[in-house]
Amino acid sequence: GGNATVVAHCGLAALSCSDDALVIDSNAHVTTDSIAVCGTASVPEELEDVLSEGQKHLTDPFANTSPPTNTTPQEYGCVGKGNKAAATPQPGTYTDFTVKCKTTMAKGIYVINGGNLDLTGNFPVTGTNVMFVLKGGATIKLGGSGNGNILTLTPMQASDFISLGYSTALSEKYANMLVFEEKTNNPSQEHIINGNSDSLFEGTIYLPAGTARLNGTASIDSSCLQISAKIIKIIGNAYLDTRCPTSATMDAGSGIATVKLVA
């Protein structure tokens, strides 16, 4: 809604079979190659040619997958004072992860149990080959606090999970997952995903229990960012541009009819 801009060539899908499972207001600017919904959708006239309603076969590819874990207790903390303060958190379980200084994360799995994953402080944050797991009512807040809040977040790959002892099949499932929310997390939670022109998010943000909200002047430009949530709200002047190649796209099924030749 609002004056939001969304560019999603990999497509939009809504598994909900309700009326208005997907709503695009007339003032929003949406560019996409396909829209598939189980129920019905309300879209501007120019998007009706790529809309397929009543698609009962759409699925959640992670519906039967539990997130990985890391039970090592950890605490977030800064070392030094003023502009020289810095944090180098390690993988493990945190009751809260609120950025308070320049932060460079070691690669691995970060479990947030019951608190906040808050990366909105006006500091640069770098996490290369990381996954965040939300449980116990944990919420996320990403970006949008000022020009100094530059986020660089990239997900772990299959080889990273294999090195931790996970099976090849499960490692391939976890690969490219940046945020993985437990399905038993508080369903009333609202997760804020903002950014600025200097931030880089990659991978999949998977929030099956909560609401993902991109609002205000959030600006996210990514070569491959996918957002899956119970409810997604993109409002205000939010800008989301994601260009995932087919090989990296999370598949919820297609709304486009196919023809098969049979003998």
Side-chain angles (χ1 to χ4, degrees), residues 18 25 35 87 96 98-100 103 109 159 183 198 213 221 255:
S18 301
D25 292 344
I35 300 173
D96 189 79
T98 299
V99 166
K100 298 177 181 178
T103 300
I109 301 167
S159 59
K183 297 172 183 64
D198 294 319
R213 181 159 62 91
D221 189 350

Side-chain angles (χ1 to χ4, degrees), residues 134-152:
L134 307 180
K135 60 185 294 185
T139 61
I140 60 170
K141 295 180 180 179
L142 302 181
S145 290
N147 292 333
N149 183 219
I150 301 173
L151 305 183
T152 304

Side-chain angles (χ1 to χ4, degrees), residues 53 68 71 106 116 122 133 137 144 173 205 209 228 231:
E53 299 176 305
T71 57
N116 298 312
N122 199 23
V133 175
K173 198 89 169 179
I205 296 176
S228 175
I231 299 172

Side-chain angles (χ1 to χ4, degrees), residues 6 26 29 41 53 69 72 86 91 93 105 119 124 127 133 150 164 187 194 203 212 214 217 222 229 241 243 263:
V6 175
S26 58
H29 308 281
E53 299 176 305
T69 190
T72 303
T93 294
M105 288 174 272
L119 308 185
V133 175
I150 301 173
L164 294 174
N194 291 334
L214 286 74
T217 57
S222 169
D241 187 351
R243 301 173 294 278

Side-chain angles (χ1 to χ4, degrees), residues 195-211:
N196 58 49
S197 58
D198 294 319
S199 293
L200 171 68
F201 303 161
E202 300 284 1
T204 297
I205 296 176
Y206 180 61
L207 305 168
T211 296

Side-chain angles (χ1 to χ4, degrees), residues 2-3 16 23 31 40 69 83 93 114 198 209 214 258:
N3 293 309
S16 169
V23 177
T31 301
T40 61
T69 190
N83 294 333
T93 294
D198 294 319
L214 286 74
T258 59

Side-chain angles (χ1 to χ4, degrees), residues 101-124:
C101 60
K102 178 181 178 181
T103 300
T104 304
M105 288 174 272
K107 76 174 185 179
I109 301 167
Y110 292 76
V111 179
I112 315 300
N113 187 8
N116 298 312
L117 172 62
D118 189 343
L119 308 185
T120 62
N122 199 23
F123 309 99

